[in-house]
Amino acid sequence: MLVGRRLRIGAAVTLAGAAAGVILPDRLRLDHRFPFVDIAAFRPHVSASALAAAALLATRPRSRPAAASLAAVALAGAGAVAGRAVRRPAPPAGPDDLTILSFNVLRGQADTGQLATLIAARAPDFVVLPEAGVDFRDKLMPQVEMLGYRSWVSTAVGTKDAQGVTLLAASTVGDVHVRSGSGMRVRHLEATGGVLGRRSLFAVHTTAPMGRRRADRWRRDLALVEQWCHGPVEPIVVGDFNATLDHAPLRAAVGTCRSAAAGTGKGLVGTYPASGARWRGIQIDHVFVPAAAATTGFEVIDIEGSDHRAVLARVRLPA
């Protein structure tokens, strides 16, 4: 009987260790490595599944030690994500708020008509479009130029849409200056001036960490974001990060900046893949803003033709 009890305890410890590797890879410093970097993105889903499995195991006396160990790990995982689903009172929208739209257009295949209609309806000050090169920009701009938008593309004519990032700025933002940078695998854009003042807005698309080499490149991309976010003036960083806030490298990169989704109750709404239910997806498209910025609106919006959903954030920047 003592041997059987020891075996059950040993099995429970083994199960807890395996569960921790899947649910808490960031705490074990594994989430920067493949395949843990991909598993980490699904912590909300895996935690919920593990809690259900623990409840099932608890129905049998012999498996209750395993149920307890699995539940402990699952609760730790749930605790790490629960705050993103909490909604807090938000200040009312004001005339000085900045509205930012981010939308990965899937190698330039997204529906430009729907995107233009959204831009016309919501009048974002800045629009960040990962996977949009010159070709996509040239299809979109005739539909929004009359609204006063200007555009910049991170890549040259002839480069595939998938390698580009496009930035639109409304006339209301003033005289912004935009330059293209090469610090990431996909070139990014940096806007300064106008309503931004000394603050920079970066439009980015980090590498998808699919495989060991790409995971290494993803970490190097995020290291550049870390340089920006730890500078003397907190920036705005927008785009497809191919990472959720369950990834320690992303949390380290953004530093004191915060997601515009924080406090809206929508921090777990999936932006990818757009083909499934929102609760099944992961939020890898972000608008990161200075810590003292206030979010006055946040939405996740479906647009046809892409595997991503768009993110629309309305924020009030600190002075």
Side-chain angles (χ1 to χ4, degrees), residues 99 114-124 144 147 149 301 312 314:
T99 303
Q114 284 193 18
L115 177 56
T117 298
L118 177 64
I119 292 172
R122 302 302 181 87
V144 298
L147 302 174
Y149 283 92
I301 302 169
L312 184 74
R314 188 179 178 96

Side-chain angles (χ1 to χ4, degrees), residues 5 9 16 23 30 45 47 61 103 122 128 147 149 161 166 175 208 217 221 223 232 250 284 303:
R5 185 165 178 262
I9 293 173
I23 297 173
L30 296 172
H45 314 75
S47 297
F103 179 45
R122 302 302 181 87
V128 173
L147 302 174
Y149 283 92
D161 279 311
T166 292
D175 186 20
R217 178 71 260 191
D221 288 351
L250 178 62
I284 61 176
I303 301 175

Side-chain angles (χ1 to χ4, degrees), residues 128-193:
V128 173
L129 303 173
E131 298 198 21
V134 173
D135 288 347
F136 186 85
R137 189 274 305 272
D138 289 348
K139 289 186 293 185
L140 175 65
M141 285 308 294
Q143 303 177 65
V144 298
E145 277 181 327
M146 72 289 294
L147 302 174
Y149 283 92
R150 293 162 290 163
S151 65
W152 297 264
V153 182
S154 65
T155 51
V157 174
T159 306
K160 293 180 179 179
D161 279 311
Q163 297 300 314
V165 176
T166 292
L167 174 68
L168 309 186
S171 58
T172 53
V173 304
D175 186 20
V176 295
H177 304 279
V178 179
R179 69 175 187 89
S180 177
S182 59
M184 295 184 175
R185 187 180 69 87
V186 173
R187 294 185 68 89
H188 65 274
L189 293 169
E190 178 185 6
T192 55

Side-chain angles (χ1 to χ4, degrees), residues 266-283:
K266 299 176 182 178
L268 295 177
V269 176
T271 62
Y272 174 87
S275 57
R278 294 182 172 207
W279 65 267
R280 291 174 55 191
I282 55 178
Q283 191 167 115

